[in-house]
Amino acid sequence: MQKKINTKSISPNEAKHVPVLLQEAIEGLNLKEGAVALDATLGVGGHTKEIATRIGHKGTIIGIDADSVAITRAKDTLSNFGFKGEIKFFNTNFRNLDSVLKEAGVEKIDAALFDLGLSSPQIEVSGRGFTFKQEEPLVMTFAEEPKEDEVTALEVVNTWSEETLTLIISSYGEERFAKRIAKAIVESRELGPITTTSQLSKIIEEAIPYVARKKQKIHPATRTFQGIRMAVNDEVGALTEALPKAFGALNSHGRMAIISFHSIEDRIVKRYFQEKGKEGTAKIITKRPLIASEEETHENPKSRSAKLRIIEKI
Ligand SMILES: C[S@@+](CC[C@H](N)C(=O)[O-])C[C@H]1O[C@@H](n2cnc3c(N)ncnc32)[C@H](O)[C@@H]1O
């Protein structure tokens, strides 16, 4: 019988991150007691907690997050929950998951979960410039303290060419006014550096024609901020590198579940899964991506764009 998961019980103080497609992803991973599971995107530990419930005290979790604050939150979630199995945390990009598994002394895994993008606390309280609703510095890195050689939003906005800005805002941001916005950013930075979210948001807003702006249901800066964030963290590159590494590490009958929020990411996952299906090395469990129910989208509007795909290694 299917065990119903109560998502509302997940957090009293985790800045209200509600795990998306929780039931579907956890059921889809087909976890057994004593399994070894990789959570490549710990976030606040919402999915991990359910993984822990399924694999029990003989199970092992390898948890990754590029954000050290997320690791702390996930640790809290699991210690409050009283998980007695083994758990190893790695504060790194999931594109390095091969080295992570090596360091953890784990050769094969039974399940891998990727829940892409950002958690609610990152957007709302990290102060790293993911939101245009507050005055924040332009950082937008997953890592809390970006290293000196790491790209930040400040660098993207103030030094990348108009052509590259147009490209990332239109492809990652899916913003139809990308060209106008990129031009406005370049014109503005000629007068002085763009250093805060409010400054950037205002430039974007003014670059979008008034009539189009009035018709939009979302804030005019939403898409551009998304495009810049995805470029800063090379999110598409990281996913493309991580998929074969995770699949390679799966045991026979092991499953991988990916929740994505962007059409480019969903396409990468879909094509990779199709390739494995054609090769005869995997069975695709979700012929079509699973999406959130009406009830879930009502309770958690962020789940509206989520797509879940699951594959099983043969
Ligand atoms: C949507 S949240 C995950 C939420 C989590 N499933 C939960 O229920 O609490 C995505 C998390 O993945 C992390 N992340 C995104 N891309 C990453 C990458 N390439 N490498 C490592 N962590 C990444 C983010 O820092 C964020 O904490």
Side-chain angles (χ1 to χ4, degrees):
M1 206 183 77
Q2 271 210 353
K3 217 159 111 188
K4 180 86 178 138
I5 300 166
N6 178 9
T7 51
K8 285 183 190 136
S9 69
I10 297 282
S11 65
N13 55 5
E14 294 153 0
K16 293 178 215 70
H17 178 86
V18 183
V20 168
L21 289 166
L22 180 62
Q23 176 97 28
E24 294 81 350
I26 299 300
E27 292 294 338
L29 284 173
N30 200 18
L31 297 157
K32 305 270 188 303
E33 271 201 32
V36 178
L38 167 74
D39 184 344
T41 50
L42 280 170
V44 305
H47 284 96
T48 302
K49 190 178 146 196
E50 287 307 323
I51 291 175
T53 307
R54 305 293 166 115
I55 64 175
H57 67 279
K58 289 191 185 131
T60 302
I61 297 174
I62 310 294
I64 299 178
D65 205 296
D67 183 351
S68 58
V69 184
I71 301 266
T72 309
R73 282 202 185 94
K75 275 185 183 166
D76 278 356
T77 304
L78 283 167
S79 68
N80 292 340
F81 169 65
F83 178 56
K84 300 269 184 327
E86 190 176 3
I87 177 145
K88 292 179 176 169
F89 296 96
F90 294 86
N91 178 208
T92 185
N93 196 295
F94 60 55
R95 72 192 329 153
N96 306 317
L97 73 86
D98 48 345
S99 329
V100 163
L101 294 179
K102 213 169 177 183
E103 201 182 320
V106 167
E107 260 182 48
K108 290 284 174 196
I109 55 177
D110 302 303
L113 173 71
F114 292 75
D115 175 17
L116 303 172
L118 297 172
S119 66
S120 304
Q122 282 173 318
I123 301 171
E124 287 155 27
V125 298
S126 78
R128 265 176 264 160
F130 292 119
T131 176
F132 35 78
K133 293 186 186 150
Q134 282 140 221
E135 171 85 340
E136 291 180 7
L138 289 171
V139 187
M140 293 199 199
T141 54
F142 285 140
E144 193 195 12
E145 300 272 343
K147 296 194 188 89
E148 229 171 73
D149 59 345
E150 273 173 354
V151 177
T152 63
L154 187 74
E155 183 185 334
V156 170
V157 166
N158 288 287
T159 67
W160 286 19
S161 71
E162 190 174 325
E163 291 70 32
T164 311
L165 286 172
T166 306
L167 191 72
I168 60 163
I169 297 169
S170 68
S171 59
Y172 296 157
E174 300 177 313
E175 169 60 70
R176 71 185 172 112
F177 297 109
K179 213 168 154 40
R180 296 172 72 123
I181 294 168
K183 187 165 180 276
I185 290 175
V186 170
E187 279 171 4
S188 170
R189 76 192 189 195
E190 274 163 13
L191 304 173
I194 305 162
T195 57
T196 68
T197 47
S198 329
Q199 243 182 309
L200 179 61
S201 172
K202 189 161 179 282
I203 296 164
I204 298 164
E205 227 174 309
E206 286 171 359
I208 297 177
Y210 178 79
V211 179
R213 218 187 313 149
K214 286 291 140 203
K215 276 192 204 154
Q216 282 177 347
K217 289 199 184 107
I218 54 173
H219 187 284
T222 310
R223 295 178 194 279
T224 302
F225 268 59
Q226 172 181 287
I228 295 172
R229 186 207 86 211
M230 287 179 74
V232 164
N233 296 289
D234 185 23
E235 292 176 41
V236 169
L239 177 65
T240 310
E241 270 183 52
L243 287 178
K245 291 182 178 179
F247 186 76
L250 279 181
N251 271 320
S252 171
H253 302 300
R255 289 195 178 184
M256 172 152 79
I258 321 249
I259 302 169
S260 64
F261 295 83
H262 193 287
S263 61
I264 296 184
E265 289 174 334
D266 181 54
R267 208 174 315 131
I268 290 169
V269 176
K270 179 177 155 187
R271 290 200 180 140
Y272 184 74
F273 283 11
Q274 280 173 344
E275 191 188 304
K276 295 290 128 192
K278 277 196 197 124
E279 259 176 31
T281 53
K283 187 166 86 181
I284 298 168
I285 303 298
T286 47
K287 299 279 175 264
R288 284 164 185 274
L290 301 182
I291 55 169
S293 64
E294 233 172 82
E295 189 190 344
E296 182 172 357
T297 52
H298 181 71
E299 280 172 15
N300 181 15
K302 283 180 196 149
S303 65
R304 211 174 287 140
S305 55
K307 288 195 172 140
L308 168 65
R309 292 186 187 267
I310 303 166
I311 197 171
E312 181 176 305
K313 195 165 185 177
I314 289 175

